Amino acid sequence: MAYYCTTMASPVGRLKLVASDKGLAAILWQDDDPTRVRLGPLTENSRHPVLQETERQLKDYFAGKLRQFSVRFDFAGTAFQKKVWEALLTIPFGETRSYGQIARQIGSPKAVRAVGAANGKNPISIMAPCHRVIGANGKLTGFAGGLDVKAYLLELETRKSA
């Protein structure tokens, strides 16, 4: 499968956007671990329509003008990971869920750690809102973009949902 990429500046650093012809495949952080999301060779193409639309929607999100994304996604992962990532899409803007709540939602109540691992491998950061998943005690836990970015995104959404 062919993957195309471009980068964009954002309030949380440079983001690498990756798409296939099926949809958005990844939003990667500036200092992302290169082994976290594996997609294959990337070809630079800032004019790919999925990448252009993704950039437009992200700019609107950061400007407080967009609460729900409408880009097509092309998740690459295991069946379990995809189940977790689909569950992320159901978390409303400005709200959070615990790993345990996500585990129960997908019908695997004992798979809290596996949900955490899948959440950490979420390739489509921000748009598939893994930043909205927190510890059972309400504290922020691991995030590929860094806990400061997670806090920023949650604050952005809380401010905009009021």
Side-chain angles (χ1 to χ4, degrees), residues 124-143:
I124 306 177
S125 301
I126 305 170
M127 288 188 162
C130 51
H131 61 278
R132 295 180 190 158
V133 184
I134 59 174
N137 60 2
K139 297 209 176 187
L140 302 187
T141 57
F143 185 64

Side-chain angles (χ1 to χ4, degrees), residues 9 11 15 36 54 71 73 97 120 151 154:
L15 300 173
R36 189 178 73 81
T54 299
V71 174
F73 295 141
R97 298 291 182 269
L154 291 172

Side-chain angles (χ1 to χ4, degrees), residues 24-159:
L24 183 66
I27 298 175
L28 304 174
W29 303 102
Q30 186 168 313
D31 297 320
D32 219 324
D33 176 349
T35 64
R36 189 178 73 81
V37 175
R38 295 183 183 172
L39 295 170
L42 304 177
T43 302
E44 185 76 28
N45 183 353
S46 61
R47 294 190 302 180
H48 190 284
V50 172
L51 298 176
Q52 289 182 323
E53 181 60 19
T54 299
E55 184 169 354
R56 185 192 67 73
Q57 288 188 29
L58 283 170
K59 285 179 178 177
D60 285 350
Y61 167 80
F62 286 119
K65 299 175 185 174
L66 184 72
R67 292 171 168 241
Q68 187 160 351
F69 299 105
S70 60
V71 174
R72 293 182 327 259
F73 295 141
D74 182 17
F75 284 117
T78 67
F80 181 82
Q81 287 172 328
K82 289 178 184 179
K83 226 175 176 179
V84 171
W85 301 335
E86 290 292 332
L88 298 177
L89 299 174
T90 69
I91 305 172
F93 183 91
E95 295 185 20
T96 59
R97 298 291 182 269
S98 71
Y99 296 97
Q101 287 173 307
I102 297 294
R104 288 189 294 281
Q105 179 180 339
I106 65 169
S108 301
K110 294 183 180 185
V112 176
R113 287 181 188 266
V115 164
N119 200 55
K121 295 279 188 183
N122 171 26
I124 306 177
S125 301
I126 305 170
M127 288 188 162
C130 51
H131 61 278
R132 295 180 190 158
V133 184
I134 59 174
N137 60 2
K139 297 209 176 187
L140 302 187
T141 57
F143 185 64
L147 291 183
D148 56 333
V149 171
K150 186 172 190 164
Y152 174 87
L153 295 172
L154 291 172
E155 171 64 23
L156 173 77
E157 292 183 11
T158 302
R159 207 173 44 242

